[in-house]
């Protein structure tokens, strides 16, 4: 599964057809195929790749996957699941591969479910708002900007979020910023002040307060706890099929 954030690519399936994947789209590359991927030479392409080996696929399931259209516009859920998968690998908090497997599987099923049910899962305006939020977490944006991206008034967007998600757009924005901040704290060595800015916080004090509310730990304590967990002795166990997320 390849999520293209910037740029684009062309996929050619050996013995089959070619198709383009633009920025803001995701494609699925199925087992048993040989693909050639070409990137444009005039722009840098940024993508996230989730690689895995399907376990126990029946011929019927394989035929079903083959029948899917291979590309899909990125939704907020697809973007969030892929980032969570990458973060688990960066922090080594993978539960011996099980957590990465679960996130990779959820990403695949979300990809399939959106084809079958879109737009039944959530109103399109909410999806537009959520995607805008996920793409602008470190920017100075607020309710008016989110509503403008969703093509509705701020009051109407608040009603939609409360009805379908049980929160407000502003709280959803800050919750996602806290999540991003925790990911950066535990997966990078950036100074805490820089992590705060990259997560959309104007001050380190506000950032530290929100991290403490969410995790019960200060940013420094959270980073130390993640570092200790990632350097703990490995426990030997039997092989576990795993997914491998890569962000590039």
């Amino acid at each position: 599964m390849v999520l293209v954030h910037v740029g684009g690519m062309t996929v050619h399936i050996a013995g089959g057809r070619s198709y383009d994947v633009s920025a803001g789209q995701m494609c699925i590359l199925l087992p048993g195929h040989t693909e050639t991927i070409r990137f444009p030479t005039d722009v840098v392409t940024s993508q996230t790749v989730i690689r895995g080996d399907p376990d126990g696929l029946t011929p019927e399931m394989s035929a079903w996957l083959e029948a899917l259209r291979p590309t899909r516009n990125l939704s907020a859920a697809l973007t969030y699941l892929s980032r969570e998968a990458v973060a688990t690998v960066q922090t080594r908090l993978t539960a011996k591969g099980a957590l990465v497997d679960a996130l990779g599987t959820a990403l695949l099923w979300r990809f399939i479910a959106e084809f079958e049910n879109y737009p039944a899962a959530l109103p399109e305006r909410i999806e537009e708002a959520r995607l805008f939020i996920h793409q602008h977490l470190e920017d100075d944006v607020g309710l008016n900007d989110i509503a403008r991206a969703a093509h509705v008034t701020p009051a109407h967007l608040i009603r939609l979020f409360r009805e379908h998600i049980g929160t407000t757009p502003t709280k959803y924005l800050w919750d996602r910023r806290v999540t991003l901040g925790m990911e950066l704290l535990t997966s990078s060595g950036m100074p805490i002040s820089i992590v705060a800015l990259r997560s959309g916080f104007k001050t380190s004090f506000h950032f530290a307060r929100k991290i403490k509310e969410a995790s019960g730990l200060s940013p420094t304590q959270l980073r130390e706890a993640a570092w200790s967990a990632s350097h703990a002795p490995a426990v030997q166990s039997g092989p576990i099929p795993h997914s491998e997320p890569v962000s590039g």
Side-chain angles (χ1 to χ4, degrees):
M1 293 173 282
V2 184
L3 294 83
V4 178
H5 308 293
V6 178
M9 65 185 195
T10 299
V11 179
H12 175 72
I13 303 174
R17 64 188 183 89
S18 299
Y19 59 87
D20 294 325
V21 188
S22 304
Q25 291 187 323
M26 171 182 172
C27 72
I28 181 170
L29 308 179
L30 297 174
H33 290 182
T34 299
E35 294 98 354
T36 302
I37 299 178
R38 292 185 173 87
F39 298 97
T41 57
D42 59 340
V43 64
V44 175
T45 296
S46 172
Q47 75 280 336
T48 298
V49 182
I50 311 292
R51 295 193 294 258
D53 298 316
D55 186 21
L57 274 182
T58 65
E60 291 79 10
M61 292 170 66
S62 295
W64 182 51
L65 288 173
E66 293 281 357
L68 289 174
R69 193 173 77 239
T71 61
R72 170 88 178 96
N73 288 338
L74 279 177
S75 66
L78 292 172
T79 303
Y80 181 76
L81 286 169
S82 69
R83 189 167 63 215
E84 286 295 299
V86 171
T88 62
V89 172
Q90 291 174 335
T91 60
R92 299 188 180 92
L93 301 177
T94 64
K96 294 180 286 185
L99 180 55
V100 186
D101 279 346
L103 289 167
T105 301
L107 186 65
L108 175 61
W109 283 111
R110 178 74 192 199
F111 179 89
I112 293 170
E114 288 190 6
F115 271 119
E116 295 182 335
N117 299 306
Y118 185 82
L122 283 173
E124 183 177 2
R125 300 312 179 197
I126 290 184
E127 281 294 345
E128 290 175 340
R130 293 172 71 212
L131 185 57
F132 177 84
I133 288 171
H134 281 270
Q135 293 174 335
H136 295 84
L137 290 176
E138 65 180 279
D139 300 329
D140 185 14
V141 298
L143 176 60
N144 289 336
D145 303 295
I146 301 168
R148 191 177 303 113
H151 310 290
V152 293
T153 66
H156 183 57
L157 188 63
I158 290 172
R159 286 194 295 270
L160 285 174
F161 265 69
R162 283 177 172 166
E163 178 181 354
H164 294 278
I165 303 182
T167 187
T168 65
T170 301
K171 187 175 188 308
Y172 185 90
L173 168 65
W174 284 107
D175 286 346
R176 301 290 77 74
R177 283 173 168 166
V178 169
T179 299
L180 175 60
M182 293 173 71
E183 290 174 5
L184 293 176
L185 282 172
T186 56
S187 64
S188 77
M190 288 188 295
I192 292 175
S193 60
I194 301 301
V195 172
L197 292 174
R198 288 282 302 275
S199 304
F201 290 84
K202 293 182 178 180
T203 68
S204 297
F205 175 78
H206 186 201
F207 176 68
R209 180 165 60 83
K210 287 294 188 180
I211 293 296
K212 180 79 171 181
E213 290 175 0
S215 68
L217 302 172
S218 70
T220 300
Q221 291 170 332
L222 181 63
R223 172 169 278 174
E224 290 174 348
W227 188 91
S228 298
S230 67
H231 289 76
V235 179
Q236 297 297 322
S237 63
I240 299 175
H242 68 282
S243 300
E244 181 184 358
V246 179
S247 184

